[in-house]
Amino acid sequence: MARCLAGDRIAERALYDAHVDRVYRLMFRMAGEADLAADFTQETFIRGFERLSQYRGDSSLGTWLHAIAVSVALNGLRKVKRMHGRTEPIEESHHLAVQPVGLTGDLKARLHAAVDALSEKLRPVFVMHDVEGYTHEEIAGTLGIPVGTSKARLFDARAKLRLALAVFAGDHIA
Amino acid sequence: MKEDRMDELLIKGTRDYHEPGPVPREDMWARIEAERGGRDRDVALAPIRRRWGWAVGGLAAAAVLTVGIVIGRRLERASVPSTTVAAIPQPSRSSSPESAAAAARTQSESENLAYRLVMLRHLAGTEAMITAFRSAARRGEVDAQIGDWSRELLGTTRMLEVSPVTQDPTMRRLLEDLDLVLVQIAQYVTSGKHNPDDLDLIEQSINKRGVIIKLRSSLPARALPAGT
């Protein structure tokens, strides 16, 4: 840390190596595109190095970096959404999801579309917990929310996905 | 039971949600280094750019004001013959009291329009400056450039306070409010003490007088660019 603060590029590279894989994986899960994931990861580390002097050690350095990463990703995705207007609201993906099609690939595609359509509050929690395997404590630290809120958001996210997939998945379960 | 199967299905189905490929470590590191090098240069140049940006902004405000005044005076001069003709009894229809009154009205309207344009431009710039000042004050980063900017705007405000725009009582009151707020900001910056009580007084002036609301309601749907 001290060497990074002193501008030591080797120390910075070591810090980067220690965290880049996990940050990039989360960025990719959030963005769904390699270019965007790379952009968000780069911006995370650039901001991280710039603000390293503000790191107080209240959480682990990894959690602190992840907090920057999630903020960068959400802001970036908002810009992308504004530019392309491509993300459909949950109601629309629900219409898609309830049309029974009957193929495993379709189920996945519809499930992924339903995850894409989760709100900004629910999606990071769902992706971090159910997809990437973060603990609620890690999620809470990253998003700056209480552990209970993280659990409640995961519960809501799963409920919405269940609802979105109810009819379609019902055929599979049966 | 069914809910458990659904959760199982969710977890299975999302395991490969946006599955990441290999991490482009070296590419990203190269870009981070390049970007950081660029930003370091930007940080070094930022104060210079800001200073020039505001100087250009101030010059633009002065230029717009001058253009407005010139337009007003030309319109005034152009209307002098018709006024003179109207004063001398003539048999033609143009010399009738109605046409003289119409010419005077046109002159007055054109003049007001020119000043009004200048006024709108000035209000947009003032709103931008007050917003920038509040933001900088919150971060504790008020610098001398904000003082320069506020003094430039104060000069324009005072020129406008003796212009025809003050025939509109709403505009006159707004200019008086801006005069006070801009003086306070300029003094706050010049003193260099950055006393929280002084900042509080500025906030009170802005809020009690509804300066931002008045500014925004005076600007027609952001028709004019801010920043001067």
Side-chain angles (χ1 to χ4, degrees):
Chain A
M1 274 282 293
R3 283 172 57 201
C4 284
L5 284 169
D8 180 338
R9 288 289 157 114
I10 295 170
E12 287 179 352
R13 176 65 201 230
L15 189 149
Y16 170 82
D17 283 339
H19 297 280
V20 68
D21 289 357
R22 213 160 177 232
V23 170
Y24 179 80
R25 282 183 66 84
L26 181 60
M27 294 299 94
F28 198 103
R29 299 280 196 190
M30 298 278 288
E33 287 175 26
D35 286 346
L36 273 180
D39 285 349
F40 295 161
T41 306
Q42 285 157 214
E43 189 59 28
T44 299
F45 280 95
I46 289 166
R47 286 194 197 177
F49 289 135
E50 279 174 3
R51 298 176 189 174
L52 204 54
S53 59
Q54 294 167 23
Y55 172 62
R56 296 278 168 258
D58 301 332
S59 57
S60 75
L61 189 61
T63 302
W64 182 75
L65 269 176
H66 274 73
I68 297 175
V70 171
S71 164
V72 165
L74 290 177
N75 285 330
L77 289 172
R78 258 180 238 133
K79 281 181 196 161
V80 171
K81 191 174 163 185
R82 271 201 301 273
M83 281 167 70
H84 300 301
R86 64 187 179 143
T87 308
E88 61 194 15
I90 187 85
E91 291 77 14
E92 286 174 35
S93 78
H94 177 250
H95 286 305
L96 280 174
V98 295
Q99 293 166 13
V101 181
L103 291 170
T104 309
D106 288 336
L107 172 67
K108 271 191 182 172
R110 287 175 194 283
L111 182 53
H112 290 187
V115 176
D116 281 342
L118 287 173
S119 71
E120 265 188 21
K121 282 187 176 171
L122 302 185
R123 199 163 80 94
V125 176
F126 179 81
V127 168
M128 290 176 84
H129 189 277
D130 277 9
V131 183
E132 276 292 293
Y134 289 67
T135 64
H136 280 296
E137 285 72 21
E138 286 176 311
I139 297 169
T142 298
L143 301 179
I145 55 174
V147 170
T149 305
S150 173
K151 288 179 180 172
R153 287 187 188 175
L154 180 65
F155 181 84
D156 283 353
R158 284 180 179 166
K160 280 192 162 43
L161 294 176
R162 268 192 233 113
L163 185 69
L165 297 176
V167 175
F168 186 64
D171 293 345
H172 278 263
I173 291 166
Chain B
M1 183 65 189
K2 194 178 172 186
E3 203 163 281
D4 289 346
R5 287 293 312 276
M6 286 280 277
D7 280 349
E8 200 181 303
L9 205 61
L10 281 181
I11 292 167
K12 269 189 190 168
T14 52
R15 203 166 286 159
D16 61 352
Y17 171 75
H18 294 168
E19 181 72 53
V23 181
R25 280 181 171 225
E26 299 308 320
D27 281 357
M28 289 193 298
W29 180 250
R31 280 189 235 150
I32 288 168
E33 293 230 290
E35 182 79 10
R36 290 188 71 205
R39 284 191 192 186
D40 289 347
R41 281 194 302 277
D42 286 348
V43 168
L45 289 171
I48 299 164
R49 283 184 190 152
R50 268 207 310 267
R51 194 174 304 127
W52 278 106
W54 290 358
V56 169
L59 288 173
V64 170
L65 186 64
T66 310
V67 167
I69 292 167
V70 168
I71 291 171
R73 285 185 181 164
R74 281 196 179 179
L75 288 167
E76 196 179 349
R77 244 182 262 139
S79 63
V80 167
S82 66
T83 314
T84 312
V85 171
I88 301 164
Q90 293 285 330
S92 71
R93 287 179 70 190
S94 65
S95 64
S96 69
E98 289 83 5
S99 60
R105 262 200 310 277
T106 308
Q107 175 210 339
S108 170
E109 280 165 11
S110 306
E111 215 173 296
N112 286 342
L113 177 67
Y115 277 108
R116 196 163 168 73
L117 284 171
V118 175
M119 176 76 174
L120 289 177
R121 177 97 186 175
H122 176 61
L123 296 183
T126 307
E127 189 206 339
M129 197 286 296
I130 292 175
T131 306
F133 167 75
R134 289 171 119 183
S135 168
R138 267 197 298 274
R139 297 193 307 271
E141 292 174 0
V142 176
D143 58 19
Q145 278 92 43
I146 289 190
D148 294 342
W149 195 4
S150 62
R151 276 191 296 277
E152 282 163 5
L153 289 166
L154 181 61
T156 311
T157 303
R158 289 191 171 160
M159 285 170 86
L160 283 166
E161 277 181 288
V162 292
S163 79
V165 287
T166 51
Q167 285 164 7
D168 178 346
T170 310
M171 288 295 172
R172 190 180 63 242
R173 276 195 297 274
L174 176 55
L175 285 169
E176 285 166 3
D177 291 341
L178 292 181
D179 194 320
L180 173 71
V181 171
L182 290 170
V183 166
Q184 285 179 315
I185 292 175
Q187 284 176 348
Y188 176 85
V189 180
T190 309
S191 76
K193 291 176 189 164
H194 296 179
N195 186 339
D197 292 338
D198 294 341
L199 191 60
D200 196 37
L201 281 175
I202 296 172
E203 277 299 322
Q204 278 182 33
S205 299
I206 293 170
N207 294 329
K208 279 187 182 166
R209 289 160 192 268
V211 169
I212 295 293
I213 296 166
K214 285 181 194 169
L215 278 171
R216 288 180 181 162
S217 62
S218 304
L219 294 169
R222 308 260 159 216
L224 291 160
T228 54

